Amino acid sequence: MRIHIATDHAGLEFSTQLQHHLAERGHEVVDHGPIEYDPVDDYPAFCIRAAQAVVADQAAGVEALGVVFGGSGNGEQIAANKVAGVRAALVWSIATAELAREHNDANVIAIGARQHSFDDVVGFIDRFIETPFSGDERHARRIAQIAAYEADGSLLPDPRA
């Protein structure tokens, strides 16, 4: 599988270690983050490029997922979610990593590098990669509603109207 990674300075060390881990597991890793440590760099462009690459690969039939890092993961998730076709989830546990794929068919995860140990992060990412989307009708229906809103702004009727 191709894994697109992006970070800012806060996750640079994790990103480098993670790239080695993923390559050892047979994944093709594409780094969209900084080349060197800069304590005042900005994450949005890095994360958006990684998210764009995931969507482009998936549209071309390439099996791909993304991982974006920062201090908390919050801004990185927000940035990635600005890319049409991305479903980025903030992951902080094995359970949230699994549910992101199983229920939400997330194609990008965001992780706070300052919130977790490297071993925990590897566990989250490995679980995310190995967990398939369940395909359950209720989950597929909800994802389709999000995609419809993203495409043309349509929503289900307001039950209070």
Side-chain angles (χ1 to χ4, degrees):
M1 179 177 305
R2 187 174 295 158
I3 309 294
H4 294 277
I5 295 179
T7 187
D8 64 0
H9 59 279
L12 188 57
E13 184 177 333
F14 270 31
S15 177
T16 302
Q17 293 175 28
L18 180 63
Q19 289 176 52
H20 294 296
H21 169 78
L22 292 171
E24 288 171 0
R25 293 189 63 130
H27 299 292
E28 176 188 353
V29 180
V30 181
D31 183 9
H32 299 272
I35 296 169
E36 59 188 27
Y37 181 80
D38 176 356
V40 295
D41 65 4
D42 297 319
Y43 61 82
F46 300 135
C47 295
I48 290 169
R49 286 187 184 105
Q52 289 172 324
V54 169
V55 171
D57 275 353
Q58 290 180 335
V62 175
E63 193 177 18
L65 293 171
V67 180
V68 294
F69 286 98
S72 71
N74 286 311
E76 294 75 19
Q77 177 199 26
I78 292 167
N81 274 320
K82 297 302 178 186
V83 175
V86 166
R87 288 175 307 283
L90 180 63
V91 167
W92 67 89
S93 67
I94 293 291
T96 58
E98 189 172 285
L99 291 170
R101 291 285 301 136
E102 193 174 86
H103 289 190
N104 306 111
D105 199 17
N107 50 8
V108 175
I109 57 171
I111 299 173
R114 292 182 177 150
Q115 313 302 314
H116 308 284
S117 71
F118 179 72
D119 289 340
D120 285 345
V121 168
V122 167
F124 304 161
I125 293 167
D126 286 348
R127 182 63 60 92
F128 175 72
I129 292 169
E130 68 194 26
T131 301
F133 175 54
S134 71
D136 287 352
E137 187 278 330
R138 66 188 171 120
H139 300 307
R141 182 181 68 239
R142 294 165 184 163
I143 292 166
Q145 290 173 27
I146 294 167
Y149 178 77
E150 186 176 65
D152 62 18
S154 62
L155 292 172
L156 293 177
D158 185 343
R160 292 175 303 274

